[in-house]
Amino acid sequence: MSSGSSEKKFLELIREHENILHKICRIYTNNRADRQDMYQEILLQLWKSYGSFEGRSSFATWMYRVALNTAITTVKKPALLAVDRDLSREAAPVRCSGAVAKEDLDLLYEAIAQLKPVDKAVILLWLEDRTYEEIAGLIGISVKNVSVRLVRIRKKLETTIKGMV
Amino acid sequence: MKNIDEYKEVWKAASAEDAGFAPLSRDEMRAYLKGRSHSAGRLFRNGLVIDIALKTGVGAALLYLALVMNTPQGIDLAAYVTLGCILVLGSLQVRYLVTMPPFAPDRNNVRDMLAAIIEYYETRYRTVLFIAGGTNPLLLVTGMLYYFFFRYGGVRPLDSEDLVVFTLFLLVGYLLGVLVPMLQYRFQMNQLRECLSDLDESTFSSQKLKEQKMQRIRWIAAAVLALIAGLLLFAYLVRPS
């Protein structure tokens, strides 16, 4: 496959799954500028690794792997300023797709923002309907640990959201 | 208030726009693919490449001094010795560069990726930083050789006082060359360590964290000593005669 057609195919696949990337970028960053940097970094890593994607797993699973590894290990700037939640809200358009309640979604994002990086990955995969086995494989923990963590994370999210409402 | 399962439904129905993103055009995505990476692996690599380039520049300046300028034998010899040091340290760094693992995000899970980066930093990259720290003293020696050549036409005989002063300068230069990048990496490495310890308490036990804290204290003490030595040296140099 030529480099041009490979890039075209890659961008088509990214376009199909860009929801995942945007959600990952949103939960691992606090403002629009960092979000764009992270999106670019993930896209770069995906493109660099695309040549070795053999199709053993689905593109989405492979993408989760690369994107989460990148999001967790990428250089982060020291947080000199407080978390800029207003900016993240401002970045979201006023219009919301279909029946999605923007306020509920914002609450969920804000609650997730308070989790540790690994817990963010676990809950994101759970929200994306990944199986416990898949989550365990992507994170590198046991299935039992996934189950225990999820109970703890869900409880923490509920408490945080309750405190925000 | 909704329960988490209801929030999950909201999450699944959300689009990229709901996550706060305007859809990117194909051209914008292509532009992103040509950008610069800020991954940990890329940072390690860049640090090495920049230092090797700096050493090459110093080496070229020494070769110019020894071969092109009409320098006396004392300076020639000192230049060749310094050049030898650069070649040894530089070749070690090239070896580290060539053997650096790719830190492939598509081959590892989160835990393996974190462990690979931290292990590389702890076991190999720290050594690289100690080697790279040598660039500062080598740069100082090269500068001094140029100064001696243009000022005195050769290496001026050094008395014991000169030797103490120069040695202290070289020492302070070396310590700064090692400590500054170490401090730069510290923030990120600590973040990664926290993630790994969250994943695996048994691997990164509190004992290990305590050891790291002690190591940090030792480095701070070394930096403070170097600073005091530098200040004493400065006071000595500017003392009224």
Side-chain angles (χ1 to χ4, degrees):
Chain A
M1 200 189 294
S2 74
S3 160
S5 65
S6 171
E7 187 184 271
K8 198 176 163 198
K9 171 87 179 145
F10 170 76
L11 291 177
E12 272 167 21
L13 284 166
I14 293 293
R15 177 77 75 208
E16 270 175 46
H17 298 86
E18 70 181 345
N19 249 3
I20 300 171
L21 290 189
H22 291 315
K23 284 173 178 173
I24 291 175
C25 291
R26 170 127 187 211
I27 67 165
Y28 279 100
T29 56
N30 299 321
N31 61 58
R32 200 190 319 209
D34 287 352
R35 214 173 295 158
Q36 274 191 330
D37 287 348
M38 181 162 284
Y39 186 85
Q40 174 169 15
E41 185 64 43
I42 293 174
L43 211 57
L44 256 176
Q45 295 300 331
L46 283 165
W47 175 233
K48 279 206 274 182
S49 310
Y50 184 58
S52 56
F53 172 58
E54 291 155 348
R56 275 190 219 156
S57 58
S58 71
F59 183 80
T61 304
W62 177 80
M63 192 164 159
Y64 281 120
R65 184 185 299 278
V66 177
L68 287 174
N69 276 335
T70 306
I72 292 176
T73 59
T74 293
V75 178
K76 291 169 190 76
K77 296 163 197 152
L80 295 173
L81 301 168
V83 175
D84 189 357
R85 297 196 200 298
D86 287 341
L87 239 181
S88 63
R89 277 191 165 161
E90 172 199 297
V94 178
R95 179 180 63 82
C96 264
S97 60
V100 175
K102 184 180 178 304
E103 275 191 17
D104 287 339
L105 195 61
D106 279 343
L107 276 177
L108 186 57
Y109 273 123
E110 286 201 34
I112 293 173
Q114 292 171 37
L115 298 174
K116 290 179 183 173
V118 173
D119 288 349
K120 283 180 182 176
V122 173
I123 197 69
L124 174 120
L125 292 167
W126 176 77
L127 288 166
E128 290 288 320
D129 263 347
R130 299 283 124 180
T131 63
Y132 281 21
E133 284 76 14
E134 248 184 301
I135 299 174
L138 287 166
I139 305 290
I141 51 180
S142 66
V143 174
K144 190 167 186 230
N145 198 333
V146 172
S147 154
V148 172
R149 268 177 193 266
L150 272 172
V151 171
R152 180 170 50 76
I153 298 168
R154 286 174 52 139
K155 204 171 167 187
K156 188 170 181 190
L157 284 180
E158 273 176 350
T159 313
T160 310
I161 292 173
K162 203 174 169 185
M164 290 191 294
V165 175
Chain B
M1 196 195 96
K2 292 184 169 72
N3 64 36
I4 285 298
D5 290 308
E6 287 169 311
Y7 278 107
K8 186 175 181 178
E9 293 310 312
V10 173
W11 174 276
K12 279 158 67 181
S15 67
E17 288 163 315
D18 296 324
F21 281 89
L24 291 173
S25 70
R26 200 174 281 265
D27 287 340
E28 282 173 313
M29 282 174 137
R30 279 206 185 94
Y32 274 15
L33 297 184
K34 293 184 179 88
R36 287 171 59 191
S37 169
H38 293 93
S39 65
R42 175 52 57 188
L43 275 194
F44 290 155
R45 200 168 284 276
N46 285 352
L48 258 173
V49 169
I50 289 168
D51 195 70
I52 290 169
L54 200 60
K55 278 198 174 72
T56 309
V58 175
L62 284 166
L63 266 183
Y64 183 77
L65 186 70
L67 298 177
V68 181
M69 312 280 272
N70 192 17
T71 48
Q73 215 169 3
I75 289 202
D76 276 1
L77 184 67
Y80 284 127
V81 170
T82 316
L83 198 60
C85 292
I86 289 178
L87 281 175
V88 171
L89 296 179
S91 55
L92 276 173
Q93 282 176 296
V94 170
R95 223 179 105 203
Y96 277 110
L97 186 66
V98 172
T99 56
M100 190 181 285
F103 303 114
D106 60 328
R107 298 276 169 213
N108 298 304
N109 55 42
V110 172
R111 178 210 288 269
D112 292 346
M113 185 82 181
L114 286 167
I117 294 171
I118 294 170
E119 194 195 338
Y120 182 78
Y121 179 76
E122 304 278 352
T123 60
R124 312 260 301 169
Y125 204 69
R126 273 221 179 119
T127 317
V128 170
L129 292 180
F130 282 110
I131 296 170
T135 306
N136 283 355
L138 292 170
L139 194 64
L140 276 172
V141 169
T142 308
M144 283 196 295
L145 288 177
Y146 267 89
Y147 175 74
F148 281 140
F149 175 63
F150 285 110
R151 184 80 171 82
Y152 303 108
V155 178
R156 200 175 67 111
L158 303 173
D159 57 28
S160 57
E161 222 172 64
D162 293 330
L163 282 174
V164 169
V165 171
F166 286 140
T167 309
L168 277 175
F169 267 125
L170 297 181
L171 199 65
V172 170
Y174 178 72
L175 283 177
L176 285 177
V178 175
L179 288 175
V180 171
M182 262 188 187
L183 289 173
Q184 283 172 337
Y185 283 110
R186 202 179 70 168
F187 175 75
Q188 195 206 357
M189 286 303 134
N190 281 347
Q191 280 185 333
L192 301 188
R193 280 189 200 107
E194 271 174 34
C195 286
L196 189 61
S197 68
D198 179 30
L199 275 171
D200 190 356
E201 290 296 338
S202 59
T203 307
F204 248 69
S205 62
S206 57
Q207 183 58 35
K208 283 204 170 183
L209 290 172
K210 204 186 268 180
E211 278 171 24
Q212 282 168 4
K213 199 176 170 188
M214 283 306 295
Q215 179 74 9
R216 272 203 296 278
I217 291 169
R218 278 196 288 270
W219 276 114
I220 291 167
V224 170
L225 280 176
L227 188 68
I228 291 169
L231 287 173
L232 285 175
L233 178 64
F234 181 72
Y236 174 76
L237 288 174
V238 299
R239 76 190 190 286
S241 52

